[in-house]
Amino acid sequence: MSSKKLGLNTICTHSGSIEDKTFQGSVSPLYMSTSFNFMDVDTKRYPRYFNTPNQEHLSKKIAALEHAEAALIFGSGMAAISATLLTFLKSGDHAVIQNDIYGGTRNFIESHFANYGIEYSFTKDLSYKAFEDCIQSNTKLIYIETPSNPLMKLVDIFAIAKLAKNHKIITAADNTFASPIIQNPIDLGIDIVMHSATKYFGGHSDISAGAVASSQEIMDKIWSLAKDFGGNLSDYTVWLLERSMKTLGIRVKAQQRNAKRLAKFLEKHSAVKTVYYPGLKSNEYHSLAKIQMKGYGAMLSFELTDKYDAEKFLEALTLIKPSMSLAGVESTMLLPSKTSHALLSEFDRATQGITDQLIRFSVGIETKKDLIEDIEQAISASNPKK
Ligand SMILES: *Cc1c(COP(=O)(O)O)cnc(C)c1O
């Protein structure tokens, strides 16, 4: 089956599944073996080599979804991201890193790059010029993450990919927030796409995994480092992830439909100062989103007006859970100022627009009216601020 011609939900359901030739069961058999007959195949199979039957097959689904030639599945998003960065950055190299990126990635860069002799610059903002300004003669990699956390700012993927190509620099994009259902950076010229599969791929808040997709040539390079770092995922979880990914398309679309309605509801609400969601016509990234995304995603942020107490609001929610993670079928909210961005100084948070009133909302698949009711009652419970 050539996946190019298949529709998204068909790829989700069928691509890369393993035929059960012994019992003709309808789902992929799970192969837990860590030991395989070496006389059987050219490549020796071993979990840490990323080539057990379940790993190899699920990689095909991920590659098909990202319009890539090949993919690898890791034990976490950070395992995928760190292996990718260290494959292409050596001592004396320099990387240009987008300013607003996932905290764990930022921490990895700031805590460990110096030990490897790798230089880096964070961009001033998300504009083309900010990326261009950071490029040096030893720049080897440009790293982006769009939409960004928590304000859903977008980077012009095509423009940055072109800028990098002009300078013969490799590009890597963290596509976790959009998912391949909504955005395919490779189609826009990006070389490598990474995912925290803990988020939308898993989708039920019960799997830790990561993935990288790219050309076969690039994936071979990443593989040769990754097999030595040993960040593979156990086959049982690979199998579970395959099951989750069958519904990736319908889940993300249902979550996105809710997000769009909730964004509109919040935008009109008198207790809400600002809503950050690229799907709103009023959003500064709306036209760019239309060009580079196939929708607007299911993540949004909003700011309560000063009359309301954001912490009380979160405590008062009964259906929506206060939670650090995101992308599950259940709706969750968090305060970036108290969680993901707590380590930044108050000044840095303020300049980035992350106020104490800002709430990040990972929209789930619940019935819209129940989500709205929960938000309404929590708003009432957190007013007036004393
Ligand atoms: C969660 C996340 C990661 C890290 O993934 P883990 O699976 O937690 O290692 C990386 N990037 C983004 C955008 C994320 O949301």
Side-chain angles (χ1 to χ4, degrees), residues 76-79 81 102 105 145 174 176-177 196-199 208-209 326:
S76 71
M78 284 314 302
I81 291 166
Y102 177 71
T105 312
E145 181 183 315
D174 183 334
T176 302
F177 264 44
S196 169
T198 313
K199 313 296 164 56
S208 164
L326 61 114

Side-chain angles (χ1 to χ4, degrees), residues 13 48-49 54 72 98 106 108 161 185 210 216 221 261 263 266-267 277 281 319 348 354:
T13 319
R48 190 165 45 74
Y49 293 168
N54 291 88
L72 289 175
Q98 177 186 318
R106 189 182 186 102
F108 171 66
Q216 188 64 57
K221 288 184 183 157
R261 292 161 168 172
L266 289 166
E267 192 178 36
Y277 182 63
K281 286 201 182 76
L319 181 67
D348 281 348
I354 299 164

Side-chain angles (χ1 to χ4, degrees), residues 30-167:
L30 164 58
Y31 295 94
M32 286 299 285
S33 289
T34 55
S35 176
F36 291 84
N37 185 340
F38 68 89
M39 313 258 282
D40 234 24
V41 279
D42 295 337
T43 20
K44 304 299 168 237
R45 290 192 196 278
Y46 190 58
R48 190 165 45 74
Y49 293 168
F50 296 83
N51 62 359
T52 59
N54 291 88
Q55 285 175 313
E56 215 171 74
H57 278 261
L58 184 59
S59 293
K60 288 181 189 156
K61 192 195 293 291
I62 293 170
L65 283 169
E66 280 296 7
H67 306 167
E69 286 172 12
L72 289 175
I73 302 157
F74 289 80
S76 71
M78 284 314 302
I81 291 166
S82 55
T84 302
L85 288 174
L86 293 182
T87 297
F88 293 99
L89 294 168
K90 308 269 177 280
S91 180
D93 291 344
H94 172 260
V96 175
I97 315 283
Q98 177 186 318
N99 188 10
D100 286 344
I101 53 163
Y102 177 71
T105 312
R106 189 182 186 102
N107 190 55
F108 171 66
I109 291 165
E110 291 181 332
S111 304
H112 305 294
F113 269 23
N115 297 332
Y116 290 94
I118 301 165
E119 297 168 31
Y120 58 91
S121 312
F122 280 101
T123 61
K124 190 163 104 320
D125 51 48
L126 273 58
S127 68
Y128 178 88
K129 191 172 179 302
F131 282 88
E132 194 176 34
D133 285 348
C134 288
I135 294 177
Q136 304 177 179
S137 58
N138 58 341
T139 302
K140 293 285 158 57
L141 182 139
I142 296 179
Y143 188 97
I144 64 168
E145 181 183 315
T146 175
S148 74
N149 182 29
L151 296 175
M152 311 305 143
K153 296 178 189 171
L154 304 193
V155 175
D156 187 333
I157 301 175
F158 181 77
I160 300 304
K162 199 163 165 220
L163 170 71
K165 282 207 169 71
N166 289 343
H167 288 83

Side-chain angles (χ1 to χ4, degrees), residues 196 198-199 205 299 322-328 332-334 360 362:
S196 169
T198 313
K199 313 296 164 56
S205 309
M299 296 295 301
S323 161
M324 281 291 280
S325 201
L326 61 114
T332 61
M333 287 188 185
L334 62 71
R360 192 189 74 187
S362 169

Side-chain angles (χ1 to χ4, degrees), residues 102-316:
Y102 177 71
T105 312
R106 189 182 186 102
N107 190 55
F108 171 66
I109 291 165
E110 291 181 332
S111 304
H112 305 294
F113 269 23
N115 297 332
Y116 290 94
I118 301 165
E119 297 168 31
Y120 58 91
S121 312
F122 280 101
T123 61
K124 190 163 104 320
D125 51 48
L126 273 58
S127 68
Y128 178 88
K129 191 172 179 302
F131 282 88
E132 194 176 34
D133 285 348
C134 288
I135 294 177
Q136 304 177 179
S137 58
N138 58 341
T139 302
K140 293 285 158 57
L141 182 139
I142 296 179
Y143 188 97
I144 64 168
E145 181 183 315
T146 175
S148 74
N149 182 29
L151 296 175
M152 311 305 143
K153 296 178 189 171
L154 304 193
V155 175
D156 187 333
I157 301 175
F158 181 77
I160 300 304
K162 199 163 165 220
L163 170 71
K165 282 207 169 71
N166 289 343
H167 288 83
K168 296 193 166 49
I169 297 168
I170 200 159
T171 43
D174 183 334
N175 203 27
T176 302
F177 264 44
S179 92
I181 305 305
I182 290 174
Q183 181 169 275
N184 292 118
I186 287 176
D187 290 349
L188 299 161
I190 294 293
D191 297 307
I192 307 165
V193 173
M194 297 151 305
H195 281 279
S196 169
T198 313
K199 313 296 164 56
Y200 286 107
F201 283 19
H204 297 73
S205 309
D206 54 9
I207 286 175
S208 164
V212 183
S214 186
S215 65
Q216 188 64 57
E217 189 189 343
I218 285 176
M219 289 317 301
D220 286 347
K221 288 184 183 157
I222 295 173
W223 176 82
S224 90
L225 181 91
K227 72 174 189 341
D228 297 337
F229 272 179
N232 61 288
L233 187 61
S234 92
D235 279 291
Y236 175 70
T237 316
V238 171
W239 180 83
L240 207 54
L241 185 58
E242 183 193 342
R243 186 175 100 152
S244 290
M245 289 188 68
K246 290 183 185 188
T247 56
L248 178 66
I250 60 166
R251 275 191 280 112
V252 169
K253 281 183 185 162
Q255 286 173 268
Q256 167 170 259
R257 201 157 48 238
N258 263 351
K260 211 168 165 181
R261 292 161 168 172
L262 268 300
K264 282 184 183 158
F265 158 77
L266 289 166
E267 192 178 36
K268 281 197 237 115
H269 205 290
S270 62
V272 176
K273 200 152 109 191
T274 326
V275 179
Y276 300 94
Y277 182 63
L280 292 173
K281 286 201 182 76
S282 57
N283 186 273
E284 68 170 301
Y285 299 102
H286 186 61
S287 53
L288 179 57
K290 276 189 164 165
I291 296 168
Q292 69 185 24
M293 300 170 81
K294 293 173 281 182
Y296 309 102
M299 296 295 301
L300 62 92
S301 287
F302 62 96
E303 216 177 354
L304 289 173
T305 63
D306 290 336
K307 265 199 276 182
Y308 298 84
D309 185 316
E311 275 185 79
K312 272 193 193 154
F313 169 80
L314 279 203
E315 279 165 19

